[in-house]
Amino acid sequence: MKILVLNSGSATQKTSLYEIIAEPPADPPAPLWEGLIEWDATDAAIRTTGPAGVRLQNRVPIVSRRKVTEQLLSDLWTGAARLLTGPAEIEIVGHRIVHGGEEYSEPAFVTSALKDVVRRMIEFAPLHNPAGLEGIEIIEQILGSVPQVAVFDTAFHRRLPEAAAVYPGPYEWIARGIRRYGFHGINHQYVAQRAARLLGRDLRSLKLVTCHLGNGCSLAAVRDGRSVDTTMGFTPLEGLMMGTRSGSIDPGILTYLLRRDNLTAGQLDDLLNKKSGLAGISGISNDMRQIVSATNAGNPRAKLAFDIFIHRLTSLIGSMVAVLGGVDALVFTAGIGENSAEVRAATCANLEFLGISLDPSKNSQPACDVDISTVDSRVRVLMVRANEDWAIACDCWRLARTHS
Ligand code: ADP
C-alpha cells in the first residue's frame, strides 16, 4: 500500500511517501520519498529527496500552498526517475492535524463532519488547523476521491483523567471547551510504543515519562499505553520552557501587564509565544545548540536560560512521575531530546534520587533508538527519534485494513 503523509505547518509542509507491503515492519523504515516546502513572504523553497538522494531543489515565486504542493507532488510521477506511474498509485493519504477537539480520540477517515470539527477548532489552534485543513482540501483537488485520514495531536491525551484535564477555574469553562487538551500526542504515543519495543516489554506493563523537547516542548505521563497527564494544556503554551515560548507562568503576570502596560491580547500573545523562553531569557537564540555554546563561552544570560530550562524540566518530570506513582523509563525525543547530551545529562543528574543513572559514554554518542542508562540503573533512559510521519502512515494502514 502506497501511503502519502502530509505534515502541514503554517510556514512549512513536509510530505512523505511510504510503502507498507504486508504489515508495518517492527522498526521504522525511511520513506521512499520526502518533500519539503518552506515559505517566506514571497517565495517557496521546494526540495525533494528519494532513494538516490536529492531529486529536486528550487525556489518558486508562488505562495499558494495548492500550486506549490502540485509542483512538489508531480516530482513523484514525472521525469525519468519517477517513483509512481501516476497519482492513482497513491492509495491513501494521512494528515497530521493538531487539534481534534473533544470529538476525536483516534485517527479517523476525513468526512465533511470531520472537516467541520477541524474548522471549528481553528479558534483554539489558529496557527496549525488552517494549514491541516488546507492540506486535506488540496489533496481532494489533486487526487480526487482518494481516502484521507486525519491523525490528531490531541487524540492521545483525549482520555486524560478528568482531574488532569479540567482547569480549576469556573465550572462553566468545561462546557465552553476550556480544558486541557495536550499536544505532540502523535509523537508521545509513537515513542512510548517504540520504547516498549526497545525494552522488550509490553507497553501495558510500563510507566513512562516521554519528553518531547523540540522547538515546542512537552512531557507525557504514559501508563498502560495511555496518556494520564501531560504538560501542555488548552494551548501549546502551557508547561515547560521552550525555544520562544514561556511555558507556564503565574497568570497574575498577565493581568498585571494588561493593567500596567495596557497591552492588547495580540501583544501578550506575541510576548509569551515569540519573545520568551530560551530566546527571551538569553537574548541570543531559541536554539539549544547556541545556548550551550554561549554558556560554555561564559555568557551569563545563556547560562540562566539553560538553568531555567533544566530546572523546569526536572520539576515537571518529577510531577509526571508522581502522577504515575513511579517510572520504568524516561524517553527523550525531538530536536533537543535526541541531540543535546548536555540537557539529558543535567536533567538525569537532578533525577538520580529516582534511581536514574545515565551512562556518560552512551549519552554522548550520536545514536537514536537506544538505551543510554547504565546496566544497573533502576530506571531506563532512552533516546528515540521522533517519527510522526511514520506513525501517521501506520495509522492509515491500520484504518484501511479494518475497513477493507
Ligand atoms: P520542531 O519542534 O519544530 O519539530 P525539532 O524537534 O526539530 O523542532 O527541534 C528543533 C530544536 O532542536 C532546535 O531549535 C534546537 O533547539 C534543537 N536542536 C537541534 N539539533 C540540536 C543539537 N545538535 N544539539 C542541541 N539541540 C539541538
Side-chain angles (χ1 to χ4, degrees):
M1 177 184 288
K2 301 250 181 18
I3 304 168
L4 191 72
V5 175
L6 260 76
N7 192 335
S8 307
S10 53
T12 59
Q13 181 179 291
K14 213 170 130 213
T15 310
S16 319
L17 180 73
Y18 287 97
E19 180 167 29
I20 297 181
I21 295 174
E23 302 229 327
D27 295 320
L32 296 179
W33 173 94
E34 248 181 331
L36 181 68
I37 307 172
E38 290 178 290
W39 281 274
D40 56 30
T42 54
D43 283 0
I46 301 183
R47 180 187 159 96
T48 66
T49 45
V54 175
R55 294 164 58 86
L56 180 79
Q57 193 158 21
N58 58 18
R59 289 189 77 82
V60 285
I62 1 176
V63 287
S64 144
R65 191 183 288 266
R66 174 174 174 185
K67 292 225 169 74
V68 188
T69 306
E70 261 172 17
Q71 269 206 22
L72 180 93
L73 292 182
S74 68
D75 177 59
L76 280 168
W77 49 75
T78 51
R82 64 178 181 264
L83 291 163
L84 304 178
T85 52
E89 254 196 86
I90 295 173
E91 287 170 69
I92 191 162
V93 180
H95 296 266
R96 172 177 173 227
I97 302 292
V98 165
H99 214 310
E102 303 198 53
E103 281 84 349
Y104 289 99
S105 55
E106 301 287 341
F109 281 111
V110 172
T111 58
S112 60
L114 181 144
K115 286 202 286 181
D116 285 344
V117 170
V118 177
R119 202 171 288 119
R120 196 149 37 78
M121 288 300 126
I122 287 178
E123 193 184 6
F124 293 170
L127 293 180
H128 296 99
N129 269 30
L133 193 60
E134 207 183 349
I136 290 174
E137 287 171 346
I138 289 169
I139 293 297
E140 281 170 359
Q141 288 156 7
I142 303 178
L143 300 183
S145 59
V146 66
Q148 300 198 64
V149 170
V151 184
F152 300 96
D153 252 335
T154 47
F156 185 48
H157 309 296
R158 178 63 196 93
R159 297 200 181 96
L160 285 183
E162 264 199 321
V166 175
Y167 285 107
Y171 186 75
E172 293 67 36
W173 279 4
I174 303 175
R176 293 183 57 189
I178 303 177
R179 46 157 282 167
R180 305 188 65 244
Y181 291 99
F183 298 89
H184 293 142
I186 301 170
N187 196 47
H188 281 298
Q189 184 168 27
Y190 167 77
V191 300
Q193 287 163 349
R194 190 88 187 114
R197 173 168 163 77
L198 294 169
L199 294 169
R201 298 269 305 270
D202 182 347
L203 180 57
R204 284 165 303 181
S205 73
L206 287 171
K207 293 174 178 169
L208 304 171
V209 177
T210 51
C211 311
H212 180 111
L213 310 176
N215 275 316
C217 299
S218 71
L219 305 178
V222 182
R223 187 169 54 215
D224 306 329
R226 291 175 52 166
S227 169
V228 294
D229 205 355
T230 188
T231 56
M232 284 179 170
F234 179 60
T235 71
L237 186 54
E238 190 178 347
L240 294 167
M241 179 185 192
M242 312 183 206
T244 59
R245 287 174 240 168
S246 61
S248 294
I249 56 164
D250 180 350
I253 298 173
L254 308 187
T255 45
Y256 171 80
L257 290 175
L258 286 172
R259 275 199 306 270
R260 201 45 206 268
D261 297 0
N262 285 322
L263 293 189
T264 62
Q267 287 169 322
L268 265 186
D269 242 7
D270 198 51
L271 267 187
L272 299 174
N273 281 298
K274 300 196 180 135
K275 306 237 163 64
S276 298
L278 294 173
I281 294 293
S282 71
I284 295 175
S285 170
N286 65 318
D287 191 309
M288 186 56 84
R289 283 166 286 201
Q290 297 196 38
I291 299 297
V292 169
S293 68
T295 302
N296 292 339
N299 182 303
R301 279 179 61 179
K303 179 174 180 333
L304 178 61
F306 185 84
D307 290 347
I308 302 173
F309 189 89
I310 299 298
H311 171 78
R312 293 191 157 226
L313 183 54
T314 305
S315 132
L316 286 180
I317 290 174
S319 134
M320 295 291 120
V321 173
V323 167
L324 289 171
V327 61
D328 296 301
L330 198 59
V331 186
F332 287 99
T333 181
I336 298 174
E338 292 161 27
N339 296 299
S340 180
E342 294 85 355
V343 167
R344 292 189 302 262
T347 311
C348 290
N350 287 345
L351 296 169
E352 271 175 14
F353 75 96
L354 287 174
I356 289 179
S357 161
L358 195 66
D359 181 321
S361 71
K362 289 182 188 158
N363 183 43
S364 56
Q365 277 168 24
C368 253
D369 293 17
V370 288
D371 187 333
I372 53 173
S373 45
T374 58
V375 179
D376 60 354
S377 179
R378 267 195 287 129
V379 176
R380 310 315 307 164
V381 183
L382 303 174
M383 249 167 20
V384 176
R385 190 178 307 285
N387 203 339
E388 285 152 339
D389 296 348
W390 171 241
I392 293 170
C394 292
D395 283 332
C396 289
W397 178 84
R398 267 188 291 274
L399 258 189
R401 200 181 57 160
T402 44
H403 286 79
S404 62

